[in-house]
Amino acid sequence: MRSLALFALLASSEGYEFKASPNGCTVSSVKCYVDDANRILNEQRTTGPLSQEYCAQFCSNSGYSLAGVENGNECYCGNKLRSDAKAATDSDCSVACSGQGFDGEKCGGYWRIGVFDVQCSGPPVPQPSAPKMLNNPCLNASSPFAKQPWCDATLLVDERVKDMVSRMTLDEKIANLDTGAPAIASLGLNAYNWWSEATHGISHVRNDAVTPYESNFAFPITTGMAFNRSLWKATGNQIGREARAFMNAGNAYSTYWAPVINLAREPRWGRNIETPGEDPTLTGEYAAYFVHGFQDSEDDPTHLQASACCKHYVANSMDHSKVAGEEHDRTDFDATITQQDLVDSYLAPFQACVEKGKVSSLMCSYNAVNGVPSCANDWLLQTVARDAWGFDGYITSDCDADSNVFDPHHYTKTKEEAVAAVLHAGTDVDCGGFVGGNAQSALDQKLISEADMDARLHKLFRVRMRLSHFDPLNPLDEIPPSAVCTAEAKRLAREEWRAA
């Protein structure tokens, strides 16, 4: 049995400050179960910095008798497990709790939930503080990881990435094909989330006393009307610099899914304000200059300041429509486009983003193009983007777009076939959990191989290498929180409105 008082005592020596009674919350007899999207314990939940004791307190506050911890930072509550809950091995629930000061405590695993009785009395247990989002084990000379080839910054990037992937277990590889990638024990890495946003300023970041706010710029539909490449680049640069400042403070990741470069040609589309406009040339130029500003920094021309992503690839400008009594939305829409219109209009902005902007990520869209879902379309992802344009980066699905390949597109007969289709086409990371949830079954059926997963992981970690996540400290790592929302940033935001 572990008591909060013991952890408070241990943590206090490392600067983690709170006082609690031994009668706060205690946890014993943690049992590991297999979880799924419907949740075996599903009355209430919270996420964030976590310990078993805090999860117990959260559930106690809501009057529940059972608590469950999952994936390091998820807490679930209820009074009984779902009737079909299946037990898992204790080793499956081995992900470290995300709360600072609780070293050695485990909070479930990937689709594995550690369930225990709620036993609380006395003073309430506070939520733990959050550790830095990113860590670099290569900086610790006494760490065993620092002596491994992937930490050797003198080696070629591809050599280092190959060494990284070779050290991962199969379970780690499968889990890291999803956007919310859990910690990788074999590499000493914290969890990583590939999804952040930056259309007109960074979001999906953590605000606290160190980074309480970020700059907010005009929507791209406004900035695009300025017809000013220098302004577009300066805007991208300030947003990218703030992204790096947040990362350095431990309050952000480094991969941002912006800009949106679909064409604003359908007035009913609700996301027109996120785009620079309706013209392919204008949109392509905006993409190239925004991305250059966002990713490049004079402080360190050899690394990415932050990673940009041009989306949604491609012909994605419809949310919902009803034609002849039949309803369609973006998840099942098939864009039927002539080759000339596809090349001259819809592909052109993405070509500029890749060839001129050197973007490090693309997002494949929900829709199909001429019968093939974008995320399973090897012609779009491999033949066009990587082979013809020379794209060097990772490809993410839009959220649940990989799942949509199976349903509602019905492009494959089974979920496992859909996993094989997206991996073989060149989609590197899945936003939504579909690939991670079905990859083992696809592997068992020999529809994919471990080498297929390695190829996708190579693309992902190659971008993280270019972001200097595993390198010695460099000038980009010195960008401080004071670089956020500066007088120059405010002047730039006002200039956008005036120029438009």
Side-chain angles (χ1 to χ4, degrees):
M1 179 178 292
R2 286 180 295 273
S3 74
L4 180 66
L6 174 61
F7 278 98
L9 178 63
L10 293 174
S12 63
S13 64
E14 297 183 7
Y16 182 69
E17 298 181 1
F18 68 81
K19 296 179 179 179
S21 161
N23 296 320
C25 291
T26 57
V27 176
S28 61
S29 302
V30 180
K31 296 181 180 179
C32 190
Y33 292 88
V34 177
D35 205 3
D36 56 42
N38 293 320
R39 303 298 174 188
I40 65 169
L41 195 65
N42 62 3
E43 293 300 321
Q44 193 164 347
R45 63 170 291 184
T46 187
T47 60
L50 193 64
S51 68
Q52 294 176 358
E53 290 77 12
Y54 174 69
C55 182
Q57 183 68 65
F58 175 81
C59 295
S60 175
N61 292 346
S62 301
Y64 294 106
S65 60
L66 289 178
V69 287
E70 185 168 327
N71 211 29
N73 66 345
E74 301 171 17
C75 171
Y76 296 89
C77 308
N79 290 318
K80 63 180 180 178
L81 294 176
R82 210 172 64 202
S83 60
D84 61 347
K86 297 179 181 178
T89 63
D90 289 342
S91 61
D92 283 351
C93 288
S94 59
V95 172
C97 296
S98 58
Q100 192 165 345
F102 288 83
D103 296 343
E105 188 168 304
K106 306 301 181 184
C107 282
Y110 183 71
W111 292 115
R112 298 294 185 269
I113 182 169
V115 179
F116 46 87
D117 292 331
V118 171
Q119 303 175 64
C120 296
S121 62
V125 178
Q127 184 170 19
S129 60
K132 284 191 172 185
M133 291 186 178
L134 292 182
N135 70 315
N136 182 356
C138 302
L139 295 179
N140 182 0
S142 63
S143 162
F145 306 108
K147 300 174 179 62
Q148 295 172 353
W150 65 274
C151 279
D152 185 351
T154 67
L155 297 178
L156 296 175
V157 167
D158 288 330
E159 291 181 53
R160 298 172 68 190
V161 172
K162 183 178 180 180
D163 181 65
M164 288 187 83
V165 175
S166 72
R167 296 175 184 276
M168 296 171 66
T169 67
L170 180 60
D171 285 346
E172 287 172 340
K173 290 178 179 181
I174 290 173
N176 276 269
L177 293 172
D178 285 342
T179 299
I184 306 174
S186 61
L187 298 174
L189 295 177
N190 291 352
Y192 187 85
N193 197 318
W194 292 86
W195 180 12
S196 298
E197 297 284 355
T199 297
H200 57 100
I202 56 172
S203 68
H204 293 54
V205 297
R206 187 165 64 205
N207 296 111
D208 61 13
V210 178
T211 54
Y213 40 71
E214 55 280 335
S215 299
N216 202 344
F217 295 90
F219 277 107
I221 196 68
T222 300
T223 312
M225 286 188 278
F227 295 94
N228 186 329
R229 293 177 177 89
S230 298
L231 183 63
W232 301 336
K233 184 177 180 180
T235 301
N237 186 257
Q238 180 61 32
I239 297 174
R241 190 170 179 81
E242 295 191 8
R244 191 72 182 206
F246 266 71
M247 190 208 86
N248 293 342
N251 286 338
Y253 298 105
S254 293
T255 42
Y256 290 81
W257 294 352
V260 176
I261 57 169
N262 300 113
L263 302 179
R265 291 186 169 179
E266 167 54 77
R268 295 170 296 178
W269 188 39
R271 300 184 66 175
N272 283 325
I273 58 173
E274 297 181 49
T275 75
E278 64 179 344
D279 180 76
T281 301
L282 167 70
T283 303
E285 288 294 287
Y286 176 92
Y289 280 83
F290 179 92
V291 168
H292 265 307
F294 191 87
Q295 295 191 157
D296 301 342
S297 172
E298 294 179 355
D299 294 332
D300 182 359
T302 63
H303 291 106
L304 297 176
Q305 175 173 251
S307 171
C309 173
C310 283
K311 62 182 186 183
H312 312 78
Y313 185 60
V314 65
N316 178 85
S317 300
M318 193 275 275
D319 278 298
H320 182 269
S321 181
K322 187 173 183 179
V323 179
E326 187 174 291
E327 295 198 22
H328 296 275
D329 64 29
R330 60 183 181 171
T331 64
D332 66 3
F333 176 62
D334 181 14
T336 303
I337 311 172
T338 65
Q339 194 73 1
Q340 180 174 349
D341 201 19
L342 185 61
V343 172
D344 288 350
S345 296
Y346 297 99
L347 287 175
F350 290 92
Q351 184 174 3
C353 186
V354 171
E355 292 184 341
K356 297 179 67 174
K358 307 299 181 185
V359 75
S360 54
S361 177
L362 293 172
M363 176 188 286
C364 53
S365 54
Y366 289 114
N367 59 283
V369 177
N370 296 330
V372 183
S374 296
C375 294
N377 194 324
D378 62 343
W379 180 78
L380 279 176
L381 307 188
Q382 184 65 45
T383 304
V384 175
R386 287 188 162 122
D387 295 342
W389 296 343
F391 171 62
D392 179 15
Y394 77 95
I395 296 174
T396 178
S397 74
D398 205 339
C399 292
D400 292 324
D402 283 345
S403 174
N404 297 153
V405 171
F406 170 65
D407 182 24
H409 280 297
H410 304 297
Y411 184 69
T412 62
K413 293 181 179 179
T414 67
K415 294 179 179 179
E416 291 80 4
E417 288 175 348
V419 169
V422 298
L423 293 184
H424 291 156
T427 301
D428 301 305
V429 67
D430 169 44
C431 181
F434 176 80
V435 170
N438 295 285
Q440 183 63 61
S441 180
L443 192 64
D444 294 341
Q445 296 178 34
K446 301 189 184 319
L447 295 171
I448 61 171
S449 66
E450 190 168 353
D452 293 328
M453 292 186 283
D454 289 352
R456 307 280 62 88
L457 292 167
H458 191 101
K459 300 292 187 185
L460 294 170
F461 282 105
R462 193 173 194 283
V463 170
R464 290 196 64 183
M465 282 285 181
R466 293 170 62 196
L467 286 158
S468 72
H469 285 181
F470 317 117
D471 284 0
L473 295 177
N474 63 69
L476 291 175
D477 298 316
E478 298 175 1
I479 297 175
S482 59
V484 176
C485 208
T486 61
E488 173 59 21
K490 296 172 185 176
R491 185 204 64 78
L492 183 62
R494 289 192 294 268
E495 174 63 21
E496 290 178 349
W497 289 101
R498 282 195 293 264

